[in-house]
Amino acid sequence: MTDTLTASPAHTVPGPLIRLDAQDNTAVARVAIAAGTDLGDGLVALSDVPAGHKVATRHIARGAPVLKYATVIGFAGEDCPPGTYLHAHNVLMDEVQKDYRFAQDYRAPDLLPPEQRATFLGYARGDGRVGTRNYIGVFITVNCAATVARRIATHFDEDRLADFPNVDGVVPFIHQQGCGMEGTGEAMDLLHRTLAGYIRHPNVAGALVVSLGCERNNLDRFFRDTALESGKMLHTVRMQDVGGTAAAIAEGKAAIRAMLPEANTATRTPQSAEHITVGLQCGGSDGFSGLSANPALGRAVDLLTRNGGTAILSEFPELYGIEHTLTARAKDEATGRAILDRIRWWLDYTDGKDVQMQGVVGPGNMQGGLANVIEKALGGAKKGGSSGIQAVYRYAEPVTAHGLVLMDTPGYDPVAATGQIAGGANLIAFTTGRGSCFGSYPAPTIKLASNTPMYTKMLGDMDINCGTVIDGATTLDALGETIFARILATASGEATKSEAAGVGADEFAPWPIGVTG
């Protein structure tokens, strides 16, 4: 048996099970299955099985590995005859012996010649990067300036921007940090990288930075350490210097008004898809995510990298358990070892903590059919497609390599996507099975539903229904083409559902690592 989702759509009603690999001893319930149901090939369901959950397709002895996509996702906690419902109660985590096989499966992108690459309509910036949106951002060095930044940005509503049609909006980027934190070291470096990455982002035409004046994230040092320089399209306001809240709001409004004419001169022009960088996210995953939305997005990533573009796979705690499949795809041993270094950091960081890296996934994941973090990781990694891994980046580091890269971020979606956008992602592609309502600025989020019932229920939030693969109406390859086409259209200015709903400003969430004191 091969992956049934890659074949041409059947002209008959699909069967109740999705069989993924000939080596597997499990299959996934396409629909809810009642006890006693004939599943074909002499297999009978021994109990009720919810949609998206797993069934044993042959006898699995107690202690034997449970295989999905030819990968060990756990071990049988009891003897499991064919037809047994498999989930967290009888699929147990244990240490798996891993062969890291550094670079042995590396496959370089099959790059198209430049003249054959796909194009989109983007904003060419002076540094050679290309934006997919054209915003002015209002940033803060410390949460003490949050209200001022919001009041400034809110002032520039649709009516006040009517004379600047090429400006997508004025957006506040609010965070909880900047003081009461370590003055030097990893935490401050990370905050600096994140803020500077957004200020320099190709989707940001101009920026205003508001500070209080006495915070640990000192404005002068922040600019010095990140080589930022005030100028025509980068202004600053210190609240304590100008006389407080009301004066800072007035000065900030004046600074934005001064930048709007220049920002409005930006126009979209044809650009190569090599200038697209997509941050790959998944949230509210279910048992179908790794069968439909994630691998379909992986097909689109393969198309993007073939056209010279870049995709960022992140959420390192949710790659634990299958990291050996990634080290094998790394371009060299050094890149593979960089993956392991970050996984080991996470193991130390989460040791003894009640987090999913210790095995137990969230309630929504569990209800959706995922037994443990290894099964979740197996599906999540499929967002990265099949091409080789070119580089590994720390959180919010500028991404300069093309192709598939990794960035070390937490699994928490707003924090992870913030790091990717700070690194240069000018789009986010977000898969979900339970129904995440995530959005992001300044890089728009495309949301991909793993199953048709959820897509139908949440039409106002979902951009593409990947459940058509589960339904047997299309293939992963065809759906990958659809997603890639949507990436190009979104990069050219087509609004996503989250943009239409105005979701994204509050999802700016730099990683709050370090000590708060």
Side-chain angles (χ1 to χ4, degrees):
M1 295 176 290
T2 58
D3 184 341
T4 58
L5 304 178
T6 61
S8 297
H11 296 288
T12 58
V13 177
L17 294 181
I18 301 171
R19 303 169 186 264
L20 300 171
D21 192 278
Q23 298 181 53
D24 290 354
N25 50 19
T26 65
V28 176
R30 189 188 301 271
V31 294
I33 295 171
T37 299
D38 182 353
L39 303 175
D41 299 327
L43 189 65
V44 176
L46 301 183
S47 60
D48 293 347
V49 181
H53 291 237
K54 296 170 294 301
V55 177
T57 55
R58 52 180 181 263
H59 184 83
I60 308 174
R62 179 178 180 179
V66 178
L67 300 172
K68 181 180 179 182
Y69 271 123
T71 302
V72 177
I73 62 170
F75 298 87
E78 60 191 21
D79 285 338
C80 298
T84 298
Y85 169 40
L86 299 172
H87 200 37
H89 64 288
N90 56 9
V91 179
L92 309 180
M93 278 190 63
D94 202 349
E95 189 64 32
V96 178
Q97 191 67 33
K98 297 168 184 171
D99 179 4
Y100 295 112
R101 300 171 56 251
F102 295 109
Q104 291 185 27
D105 294 339
Y106 174 73
R107 193 172 83 188
D110 181 21
L111 286 171
L112 290 169
E115 66 276 7
Q116 295 181 21
R117 294 177 186 174
T119 60
F120 71 103
L121 296 175
Y123 296 102
R125 304 301 188 187
D127 62 1
R129 296 185 301 167
V130 176
T132 64
R133 295 295 184 269
N134 193 45
Y135 285 102
I136 290 179
V138 184
F139 299 89
I140 59 175
T141 58
V142 64
N143 187 254
C144 307
T147 297
V148 169
R150 285 192 190 280
R151 293 277 297 277
I152 293 168
T154 303
H155 176 78
F156 293 94
D157 58 16
E158 186 174 336
D159 289 340
R160 289 189 172 96
L161 293 179
D163 293 334
F164 307 98
N166 294 336
V167 177
D168 289 311
V170 178
V171 179
F173 293 96
I174 306 303
H175 59 88
Q176 307 303 313
Q177 301 178 59
C179 211
M181 62 183 293
E182 301 164 74
T184 59
E186 184 175 27
M188 190 63 77
D189 290 346
L190 188 150
L191 180 59
H192 281 183
R193 284 201 307 270
T194 305
L195 292 173
Y198 270 67
I199 291 168
R200 290 191 170 104
H201 197 279
N203 290 6
V204 174
L208 169 67
V209 183
V210 183
S211 73
L212 177 61
C214 59
E215 59 269 32
R216 301 210 84 186
N217 184 24
N218 176 269
L219 181 63
D220 290 334
R221 198 188 104 197
F222 166 51
F223 269 52
R224 183 179 66 249
D225 289 355
T226 58
L228 289 168
E229 295 183 4
S230 297
K232 185 177 182 180
M233 299 304 287
L234 177 55
H235 293 240
T236 63
V237 173
R238 282 187 179 88
M239 296 169 62
Q240 292 171 346
D241 287 356
V242 300
T245 299
I249 292 171
E251 187 159 322
K253 290 177 182 177
I256 299 296
R257 282 193 288 267
M259 287 188 281
L260 280 169
E262 179 67 21
N264 194 57
T265 63
T267 57
R268 292 185 180 273
T269 56
Q271 302 291 331
S272 169
E274 69 191 67
H275 294 293
I276 295 177
T277 299
V278 178
L280 309 176
Q281 288 291 320
C282 57
S285 299
D286 69 351
F288 291 128
S289 294
L291 281 64
S292 60
N294 290 348
L297 178 54
R299 300 302 202 276
V301 165
D302 288 342
L303 293 172
L304 176 64
T305 56
R306 190 165 185 243
N307 281 272
T310 303
I312 309 172
L313 181 64
S314 299
E315 303 173 297
F316 259 68
E318 298 182 5
L319 298 176
Y320 173 59
I322 53 87
E323 66 273 12
H324 55 296
T325 68
L326 301 176
T327 58
R329 291 172 55 190
K331 71 174 183 179
D332 52 33
E333 183 171 341
T335 303
R337 291 199 178 278
I339 296 171
L340 294 185
D341 286 346
R342 300 319 301 160
I343 290 290
R344 288 167 184 147
W345 183 93
W346 276 100
L347 287 170
D348 290 340
Y349 184 62
T350 61
D351 185 36
K353 304 297 191 299
D354 183 13
V355 294
Q356 68 178 6
M357 197 166 183
Q358 303 304 317
V360 180
V361 293
N365 298 150
M366 186 76 68
Q367 188 176 352
L370 299 175
N372 56 45
V373 70
I374 298 176
E375 184 178 12
K376 184 176 182 179
L378 177 64
K382 291 189 176 296
K383 300 192 301 292
S386 61
S387 61
I389 296 168
Q390 306 300 321
V392 179
Y393 293 93
R394 302 290 291 272
Y395 186 90
E397 284 184 337
V399 172
T400 57
H402 287 257
L404 177 64
V405 304
L406 302 188
M407 176 180 284
D408 179 22
T409 74
Y412 183 41
D413 307 317
V415 177
T418 295
Q420 292 175 328
I421 295 171
N426 50 17
L427 287 174
I428 299 292
F430 192 117
T431 67
T432 180
R434 305 293 294 170
S436 172
C437 297
F438 182 82
S440 55
Y441 291 111
T445 290
I446 303 169
K447 288 197 294 298
L448 312 173
S450 77
N451 63 88
T452 297
M454 184 273 287
Y455 173 80
T456 302
K457 185 169 62 175
M458 301 187 69
L459 280 173
D461 292 277
M462 299 298 122
D463 293 285
I464 295 178
N465 179 21
C466 298
T468 52
V469 169
I470 304 300
D471 302 336
T474 190
T475 66
L476 288 173
D477 290 338
L479 192 53
E481 294 272 3
T482 298
I483 295 170
F484 182 57
R486 183 65 64 88
I487 286 172
L488 295 174
T490 302
S492 297
E494 182 178 301
T496 66
K497 293 291 183 68
S498 64
E499 286 182 292
V503 178
D506 291 322
E507 285 70 17
F508 175 68
W511 187 1
I513 198 171
V515 176
T516 300

